[in-house]
Amino acid sequence: MRIDAIAFDLDDTLLRDDRTISPYTLSVLRRAAEKGIRIIPASGRTRDSMRGFVEKIGCATCSISCNGAEVWSPAGESLMRELLDVPLAVEIARFAEARGCYAQTYAEDCFFYNQEGKWADAYAESSELRGVYVGNLEAYIAQPTPKILIMDTPARIAELLREAQALFEGRVSLTCSKPYFLEVNPLRATKGNALRWCADRFGFAMEHAAAFGDSLNDLSMLTAAGHGIAVANAREDVRAQVATVCGSNQEDGLAHYIEQYVLSGGNA
């Protein structure tokens, strides 16, 4: 197996359930980088929410954030961005507001949200971003944004996804990285498209790329890469669409797969 690039999701794929990265996984990624393999974290998180993890990995070629809306250099230079324009972002915020849903948008190290309560509190804790309550999100949006996030119960999110697909088809990219997230990105913003952009920029063939993930926002990347690998804890509908499943995030499945199939004499 020849692998020239390794792309991977963070939450529930690389990160353990307590959002740590094991020393073993870090060592495997660094050994891969020493062999000249491109290391590409790819998350639904924003750049600022990813930053601490990217710094800890220490060998990333670049990072993909906001489900593929952005690509960043290790130094924080913007390499590629796709944005929702203001009228479309306002329309999405209005969609959430009309249905009584929590929604938020982003700028740098902050997220701006429309409802106080458990969703904002949980997101602040998990993302390490600073939350700012703005009330009417529709009225607040004044500049293009890479992402709007809507949160609700899994059952409600499934309904909202169907509604949004009917209303916004052909205008936005819709996905769910968690059962209680509905993520709205620019139309071309997917992890798969961002990985293709990285392949052109950094000179590797997609057929020689490996991608690891667990959720719906990873599917475009898993199917675009020559080798798409789901972790064992991935959603059942994600595992069903890839040929290979490795160990879970709790078992350092990604790192064990890389060591066995890429680093142990298998990578040419």
Side-chain angles (χ1 to χ4, degrees):
M1 179 187 295
R2 173 181 170 180
I3 297 297
D4 295 333
I6 298 170
F8 49 85
D9 177 49
L10 292 179
D11 295 274
D12 303 313
T13 296
L14 182 81
L15 306 183
R16 291 182 167 180
D17 290 347
D18 61 1
R19 295 193 291 275
T20 61
I21 310 172
S22 75
Y24 169 68
T25 291
L26 289 173
S27 71
V28 168
L29 291 176
R30 291 168 185 170
R31 284 163 54 202
E34 288 169 1
K35 291 174 71 74
I37 298 171
R38 304 289 190 178
I39 304 298
I40 305 175
S43 179
R45 290 173 178 259
T46 65
R47 176 196 62 174
D48 286 274
S49 184
M50 290 180 70
R51 180 180 294 164
F53 300 116
V54 174
E55 290 176 351
K56 192 171 191 67
I57 291 165
C59 59
T61 300
C62 63
S63 59
I64 296 169
S65 66
C66 291
N67 290 323
E70 302 173 326
V71 179
W72 302 90
S73 75
E77 175 192 2
S78 175
L79 302 179
M80 184 277 283
R81 291 194 91 188
E82 296 279 356
L83 298 171
L84 295 165
D85 64 31
V86 171
L88 183 53
V90 167
E91 189 177 348
I92 295 158
R94 188 180 301 131
F95 167 86
E97 187 68 29
R99 288 154 182 80
C101 294
Y102 174 95
Q104 65 184 43
T105 187
Y106 304 84
E108 298 182 350
D109 63 346
C110 295
F111 66 97
F112 302 86
Y113 61 94
N114 67 340
Q115 295 179 7
E116 298 275 22
K118 64 177 184 178
W119 298 118
D121 294 343
Y123 193 84
E125 190 276 329
S126 66
S127 69
E128 300 185 2
L129 298 178
R130 183 169 63 90
V132 179
Y133 172 67
V134 297
N136 187 341
L137 190 64
E138 177 185 340
Y140 171 78
I141 295 171
Q143 60 185 15
T145 181
K147 177 180 174 180
I148 292 177
L149 174 63
I150 299 169
M151 292 193 225
D152 211 314
T153 64
R156 183 71 173 123
I157 287 296
E159 295 174 3
L160 291 169
L161 175 58
R162 289 191 291 271
E163 287 187 63
Q165 286 170 334
L167 287 170
F168 299 110
E169 183 179 5
R171 294 195 288 155
V172 301
S173 175
L174 295 161
T175 194
C176 304
S177 63
K178 300 279 190 182
Y180 43 87
F181 285 178
L182 173 58
E183 291 148 280
V184 188
N185 292 103
L187 182 60
R188 294 185 297 275
T190 68
K191 291 187 182 184
N193 284 340
L195 185 58
R196 291 185 187 94
W197 187 93
C198 292
D200 290 340
R201 174 65 179 257
F202 297 106
F204 60 87
M206 289 293 290
E207 66 191 84
H208 298 310
F212 295 81
D214 70 281
S215 200
L216 294 180
N217 65 329
D218 300 314
L219 263 178
S220 64
M221 179 172 70
L222 297 178
T223 55
H227 305 273
I229 303 105
V231 287
N233 55 291
R235 291 173 55 122
E236 183 177 350
D237 51 354
V238 171
R239 295 197 310 271
Q241 295 186 62
V242 299
T244 305
V245 176
C246 68
S248 73
N249 65 319
Q250 286 290 85
E251 302 165 320
D252 295 327
L254 177 154
H256 284 294
Y257 183 94
I258 293 170
E259 182 160 55
Q260 180 175 356
Y261 295 105
V262 180
L263 297 182
S264 298
N267 200 46

